[in-house]
Amino acid sequence: MDVEAALGKFYSMKLTDLIPSMTTMPVVTVDSDLLNVLKILRARHHVWVVRDWESMELVGIIKYLDVIDILLPPELHGFKLGMTSKSMKSLLGGAAKAEDVAEKHPLTIERDATVLDTLKKMKVYRAQVLAVVEGGKLVGEVSLRILIDELLRLLKVGGAQWKE
């Protein structure tokens, strides 16, 4: 299999064939304590926030860089009229639960989408990770790291070599 054939196969793969198990994903519920969220973010780049474990309804995402807003005192957030105040996302501003700091409406993609669909969406929104959903329910995640791993696996299995 040459690189072109490997890429063709890669682009047409369904996300269901490569998303990791839900048990390996960083997921918390809306009422999870913010300190527990911070513990997860020490080792992960994001945490998905769901309504509850039964419904797995996706509510939001907390990204690693959001920790800055959580740690800053409220007066250093800068507030503009008509905007939601980030100061409420601060520990000193009263944030205590995952729902208090989660970015609502995270980028999602349906579980039956292809890798090519995923790459296009990531490019448009300059996103490194997307929630994989089915009817608003979190069923997985896809990241650039997962896509890179899968492409390298295909190239190795297919014996493809990069040519200059």
Side-chain angles (χ1 to χ4, degrees):
M1 178 186 304
D2 64 9
V3 173
E4 194 172 317
L7 283 170
K9 181 174 182 179
F10 176 65
Y11 293 147
S12 64
M13 288 182 75
K14 297 284 187 185
L15 292 182
T16 51
D17 297 329
L18 56 104
I19 56 175
S21 163
M22 286 291 294
T23 59
T24 66
M25 290 176 41
V27 181
V28 297
T29 59
V30 291
D31 59 353
S32 293
D33 184 84
L34 198 48
L35 294 179
N36 289 331
V37 171
L38 290 174
K39 288 176 186 175
I40 294 169
L41 287 170
R42 285 188 304 185
R44 300 299 296 256
H45 290 258
H46 63 279
V47 176
W48 300 110
V49 181
V50 296
R51 176 87 40 226
D52 52 62
W53 297 117
E54 293 76 37
S55 73
M56 291 301 285
E57 175 193 343
L58 181 63
V59 173
I61 185 173
I62 304 168
K63 297 177 186 168
Y64 186 67
L65 284 175
D66 294 337
V67 173
I68 296 169
D69 289 332
I70 294 167
L71 298 178
L72 272 175
E75 63 272 12
L76 294 179
H77 280 274
F79 176 73
K80 294 180 184 165
L81 287 174
M83 291 179 62
T84 304
S85 173
K86 284 192 171 190
S87 66
M88 299 309 285
K89 292 189 173 199
S90 167
L91 279 169
L92 287 174
K97 303 286 182 202
E99 185 175 36
D100 299 336
V101 299
E103 176 186 313
K104 307 295 191 274
H105 313 294
L107 291 172
T108 63
I109 194 154
E110 292 292 324
R111 76 178 307 157
D112 62 349
T114 64
V115 167
L116 187 58
D117 297 331
T118 304
L119 288 167
K120 287 183 198 174
K121 190 162 195 172
M122 286 175 158
K123 180 169 175 55
V124 167
Y125 293 100
R126 299 194 48 76
Q128 297 175 19
V129 64
L130 301 175
V132 179
V133 295
E134 188 170 48
K137 175 183 172 181
L138 182 66
V139 295
E141 69 181 2
V142 61
S143 66
L144 285 175
R145 178 172 292 131
I146 291 167
L147 295 178
I148 290 167
D149 285 348
E150 185 57 30
L151 176 62
L152 292 174
R153 187 192 70 75
L154 275 175
L155 290 173
K156 186 175 180 184
V157 169
Q161 299 291 316
W162 294 110
K163 296 178 184 126
E164 304 245 1

